[in-house]
């Protein structure tokens, strides 16, 4: 096991070195400038479309999700162990400065994810009565339009395989692993038992298809995020005198190698960037090609609407939930204890709550993470299923995929946390490559969609206009 861990860590040092940073941050900058800073100019529209129609009684089309359901499914996947364990890992390994770089990735990622959602909407298809879409579809169809059919098919097939492995299998091992570790710590439950119970509940949702997944996400995601943020605010009130020094340490640590707030002496700025970017991507998934699979099936009048809604998902995930976790870990000093004891992952965040509220705080975090991670299992399963449909035209393939996912959920609950996280980082990085290649080639198509929508707004037709999907 140690040899495998060393091998994967070596691969990640290459994958998550300067090239990946340039790819992710570079595309975020390019798309931000090229599309006219949509994360600043259009985020308001995203919030209006996301939450302004939650209680609308208008039925969405058969085989689709409402805009809010698509967002909820995306956020279900985005808000998971990355927000609890991943943020803590970033701080312990990269220092408080990692949080600054996580914010930068989020701001740039809003533009990136809007491009993904726009293209996913434009190139979606209908299979067996349900809408499907995502990178595999816009890579194959979009690049075909650019007379790059061979490249498009190769990238689409490679991406589809990678997302199935990265999220459906390895990613869901991360989720079950994190749930098992905190539930064992808080309640003393055997990790294997936890894994089996998780698999049973997941199976009950999987077999209900898109409709049950959408309803589950729509109901659970808003409640779990709100409860966690309220709990975090309560903890921050307990340590309110530390909020100022913590904010200062985040900005100072982002640009210096100086130890702050108990951080490791000499932690290089590159480590802050490496872990901030890596955990930021793992959490908000912008550029990774995962959430477009849910945004593609939203029943909206124009792709731009869902493109702005997708940005809201990154805002909720990183700017709100990840920041809440970062602050509670730092104000409580849990990162200092973790470094002294050689701890990492979600148990660090759990220690933060325990320091403020005792055993009750530890149990609260365990239950919160269970919901965060379980909703991610559901969301990631769905993303993988969309790509199973791309690769295979068989319901049998979907059933086989469901069984394998459930097996990995059980296996993940018993594995070593460090290896699981490193495997997740590796496959996430591999997923990014074909997706970003496609995004660069098709970026002009996203700009044309924004231009088309703006023209409808200027002409006063936006409220009555419906984009002509292919």
């Amino acid at each position: 096991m140690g040899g495998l861990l060393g091998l994967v860590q070596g691969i990640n040092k290459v994958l998550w070195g300067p090239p990946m940073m340039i790819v992710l941050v570079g595309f975020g900058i390019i798309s931000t400038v090229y599309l006219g800073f949509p994360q600043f100019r259009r985020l308001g529209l995203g919030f209006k479309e996301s939450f302004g129609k939650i209680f609308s009684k208008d039925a969405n089309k058969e085989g689709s999700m409402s805009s809010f359901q698509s967002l909820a499914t995306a956020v279900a996947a985005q808000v998971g162990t990355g927000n609890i364990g991943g943020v803590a890992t970033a701080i312990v390994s990269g220092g408080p400065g990692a949080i600054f770089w996580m914010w930068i990735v989020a701001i740039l990622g809003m533009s990136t994810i809007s491009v993904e959602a726009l293209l996913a909407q434009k190139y979606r298809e209908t299979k067996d009565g349900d809408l499907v879409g995502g990178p595999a579809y816009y890579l194959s169809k979009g690049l075909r339009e650019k007379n790059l059919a061979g490249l498009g098919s190769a990238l689409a097939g490679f991406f589809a395989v990678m997302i199935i492995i990265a999220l459906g299998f390895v990613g869901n091992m991360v989720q079950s692993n994190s749930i098992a570790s905190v539930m064992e710590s808080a309640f003393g439950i055997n990790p294997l038992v936890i894994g089996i119970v998780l698999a049973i509940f997941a199976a009950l949702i999987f077999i209900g298809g898109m409709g049950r997944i959408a309803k589950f996400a729509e109901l659970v995601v808003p409640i779990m995020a709100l409860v966690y943020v309220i709990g975090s605010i309560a903890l921050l009130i307990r340590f309110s005198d530390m909020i100022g020094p913590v904010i200062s340490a985040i900005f100072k640590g982002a640009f210096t190698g100086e130890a702050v707030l108990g951080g490791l002496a000499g932690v290089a700025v590159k480590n802050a960037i490496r872990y901030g970017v890596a955990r930021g991507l793992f959490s908000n998934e912008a550029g990774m090609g995962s959430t477009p699979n849910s945004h593609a099936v939203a029943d909206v009048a124009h792709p731009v609407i869902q493109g702005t809604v997708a940005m809201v998902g990154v805002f909720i995930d990183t700017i709100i939930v990840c920041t809440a976790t970062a602050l509670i870990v730092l104000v409580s000093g849990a990162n200092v204890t973790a470094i002294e004891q050689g701890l990492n992952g979600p148990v660090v965040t759990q220690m933060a709550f325990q320091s403020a509220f005792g055993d009750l705080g530890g149990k609260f975090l365990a239950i919160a993470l269970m919901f965060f991670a379980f909703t991610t299992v559901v969301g990631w399963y769905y993303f993988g299923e969309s790509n199973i449909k791309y690769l295979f035209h068989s319901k049998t393939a979907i059933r086989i995929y469901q069984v394998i996912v459930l097996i990995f959920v059980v296996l993940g609950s018993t594995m070593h946390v460090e290896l699981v996280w490193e495997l997740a980082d590796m496959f996430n990085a591999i997923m990014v490559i074909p997706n970003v290649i496609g995004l660069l080639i098709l970026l002009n198509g996203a700009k044309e969609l924004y231009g088309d929508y703006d023209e409808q707004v200027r002409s006063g037709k936006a409220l009555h206009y419906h984009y002509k999907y292919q």
Side-chain angles (χ1 to χ4, degrees):
M1 192 66 74
L4 177 59
L5 176 61
L7 174 63
V8 176
Q9 286 175 329
I11 294 173
N12 281 338
K13 285 181 180 179
V14 176
L15 289 175
W16 285 107
M20 184 59 67
M21 305 303 174
I22 292 171
V23 167
L24 290 173
V25 177
F27 182 81
I29 294 172
I30 291 170
S31 63
T32 293
V33 175
Y34 187 66
L35 299 177
F37 299 86
Q39 63 270 65
F40 301 107
R41 293 176 53 236
R42 303 179 187 270
L43 186 60
L45 173 63
F47 274 101
K48 178 182 177 182
E49 292 292 335
S50 300
F51 302 106
K53 300 178 181 178
I54 293 179
F55 303 108
S56 173
K57 295 183 180 180
D58 294 339
N60 47 290
K61 295 178 182 178
E62 187 72 24
S64 69
M65 296 185 189
S66 69
S67 184
F68 181 75
Q69 287 176 331
S70 292
L71 173 65
T73 304
V75 173
Q78 291 168 306
V79 178
T81 55
N83 299 78
I84 294 178
V87 173
T89 298
I91 293 171
V92 171
S93 302
I99 303 308
F100 173 85
W101 296 107
M102 190 176 291
W103 290 337
I104 295 299
V105 167
I107 292 170
L108 296 174
M110 288 181 199
S111 178
T112 300
I113 209 165
S114 75
V115 176
E116 293 178 295
L118 285 167
L119 296 175
Q121 279 269 320
K122 180 178 180 179
Y123 294 107
R124 66 189 187 182
E125 299 178 2
T126 300
K127 291 188 176 181
D128 298 324
D130 289 339
L131 286 173
V132 289
Y137 298 87
Y138 59 67
L139 285 169
S140 59
K141 296 174 68 176
L143 269 62
R144 187 185 309 134
E145 291 181 356
K146 301 286 186 180
N147 296 318
L148 296 170
L151 176 63
S153 295
L155 292 177
F158 179 71
F159 177 87
V161 172
M162 284 300 102
I163 192 172
I164 291 166
I165 296 173
L167 301 187
F169 301 156
V170 177
N172 280 332
M173 290 175 72
V174 169
Q175 307 306 320
S176 63
N177 182 278
S178 296
I179 294 173
S181 65
V182 296
M183 294 298 283
E184 181 182 27
S185 174
F187 300 102
I189 305 174
N190 186 302
L192 181 59
V193 173
I194 295 170
I196 293 172
V197 172
L198 288 174
I200 292 172
F201 278 99
L204 294 175
I205 297 173
F206 294 171
I207 61 177
M210 178 194 295
R212 188 172 299 175
I213 290 171
K215 290 178 181 178
F216 171 80
E218 183 179 37
L219 174 65
V220 175
V221 169
I223 296 173
M224 74 173 190
L226 182 61
V227 170
Y228 181 72
V229 169
I230 291 173
S232 300
I233 291 172
L235 186 147
L236 291 174
I237 292 172
R238 295 286 297 272
F239 294 97
S240 59
D241 60 314
M242 287 299 296
I243 295 177
V246 161
I247 298 297
S248 176
I250 289 173
F251 285 94
K252 187 174 182 180
F255 301 100
T256 72
E258 182 180 347
V260 286
L261 293 183
L264 291 171
V267 169
V269 172
K270 68 177 183 181
N271 276 354
I273 298 173
R274 184 261 198 243
Y275 284 98
V277 171
R279 295 299 174 229
L281 171 66
F282 187 84
S283 179
N284 66 51
E285 304 180 27
M288 203 162 73
S290 53
T291 60
N293 293 278
S294 65
H295 291 302
V297 304
D299 179 19
V300 291
H302 196 284
V304 164
I305 292 175
Q306 200 60 28
T308 63
V309 168
M311 293 192 290
V312 174
V314 174
F315 186 91
I316 293 171
D317 172 85
T318 307
I319 305 302
I320 295 179
V321 181
C322 283
T323 298
T325 298
L327 292 177
I328 65 176
V329 167
L330 289 168
V331 300
S332 66
N335 59 311
V336 179
T337 305
I339 292 171
E340 293 173 347
Q341 299 181 9
L343 299 174
N344 218 329
V347 294
V348 180
T349 310
Q350 190 172 32
M351 286 192 302
F353 276 99
Q354 286 174 330
S355 69
F357 306 114
D359 288 341
L360 182 62
K363 289 178 171 59
F364 168 81
L365 190 279
I367 294 171
L369 186 139
M370 179 183 69
F371 278 100
F372 275 37
F374 183 71
T375 58
T376 300
V377 169
V378 174
W380 281 358
Y381 159 80
Y382 175 70
F383 299 162
E385 182 187 279
S386 294
N387 288 272
I388 288 289
K389 290 179 179 179
Y390 174 80
L391 293 171
F392 307 101
H393 301 282
S394 166
K395 291 185 178 180
T396 301
I398 294 176
R399 296 303 180 200
I400 294 172
Y401 168 69
Q402 290 174 342
V403 171
I404 297 175
V405 169
L406 296 174
I407 291 172
F408 272 85
V409 167
V410 175
L411 289 176
S413 66
T414 64
M415 289 190 66
H416 189 270
V417 63
E418 190 174 4
L419 175 59
V420 176
W421 275 107
E422 291 290 344
L423 284 170
D425 273 355
M426 182 179 73
F427 282 106
N428 288 346
I430 294 172
M431 273 177 61
V432 168
I433 297 169
N435 185 49
V436 173
I437 291 173
L439 294 180
L440 281 167
I441 296 173
L442 299 172
L443 182 57
N444 187 59
K447 186 170 186 176
E448 289 176 352
L449 286 169
Y450 271 126
D452 180 73
Y453 180 79
D454 289 342
E455 178 59 31
Q456 306 312 315
V457 172
R458 284 192 294 269
S459 65
K461 299 178 181 178
L463 295 177
H464 309 287
Y465 175 77
H466 285 267
Y467 177 77
K468 294 182 180 179
Y469 289 93
Q470 298 179 349

